[in-house]
Amino acid sequence: MSKKRISLGKRGEDIAVQHLRSKGFRIEARNYRQKTGEIDIICKDDDTYVFVEVKTRKNTGFGHPTEAVDRRKQGQICRTALLYLSSNNLLDKAVRFDVIGVICDQEIPDITHITGAFEVP
């Protein structure tokens, strides 16, 4: 992956974190990695653990960024979330999967936050 794409992705994640904090979410972890994959942001919305996938694009020329979270990616996120919950003794907690799309083609980014974007397949 090019440095430019990595930089765009990091910028999108930073914007998503700011957005989540402004909505009262508490950030628990960023870029949580396991052999099953990575979760961009893990946070809490009241008593619910929220696993957030962030997709960032410069424009919608190839579709909206949220459309890039396909069934394969959803499965990867769910498997990785299960490892996080298990290793932190949180299997009895409420869980949700959100997707945040960020379009950075203007000075003020366009943020789309889909709450409960998918369930465990």
Side-chain angles (χ1 to χ4, degrees):
M1 192 179 300
S2 72
K3 287 182 181 180
K4 205 171 189 179
R5 282 189 64 191
I6 291 170
S7 176
L8 179 65
K10 175 151 177 25
R11 181 172 176 229
E13 287 180 15
D14 290 344
I15 290 166
V17 165
Q18 289 174 340
H19 167 77
L20 291 165
R21 284 187 175 141
S22 76
K23 301 289 184 192
F25 289 63
R26 191 174 83 225
I27 306 303
E28 297 286 318
R30 289 184 68 176
N31 305 114
Y32 176 78
R33 287 184 178 88
Q34 290 294 323
K35 61 183 177 186
T36 54
E38 178 185 353
I39 297 174
D40 295 325
I41 303 168
I42 301 171
C43 55
K44 283 187 77 177
D45 181 14
D46 293 324
D47 292 330
T48 301
Y49 281 84
V50 183
F51 297 90
V52 183
E53 176 67 10
V54 180
K55 292 295 183 185
T56 309
R57 292 189 176 161
K58 288 184 181 179
N59 55 54
T60 57
F62 290 102
H64 196 276
T66 58
E67 297 170 358
V69 184
D70 59 14
R71 297 288 272 166
R72 182 194 63 77
K73 184 65 176 175
Q74 291 173 16
Q76 182 181 33
I77 293 166
C78 289
R79 286 187 297 277
T80 307
L82 182 59
L83 288 173
Y84 177 84
L85 294 167
S86 178
S87 67
N88 289 285
N89 201 23
L90 300 169
L91 290 172
D92 60 336
K93 302 299 182 186
V95 172
R96 189 176 77 222
F97 298 95
D98 291 5
V99 174
I100 295 180
V102 181
I103 301 171
C104 294
D105 65 345
Q106 304 168 21
E107 190 173 316
I108 298 173
D110 179 37
I111 302 166
T112 302
H113 183 175
I114 302 173
T115 303
F118 59 91
E119 294 182 9
V120 177

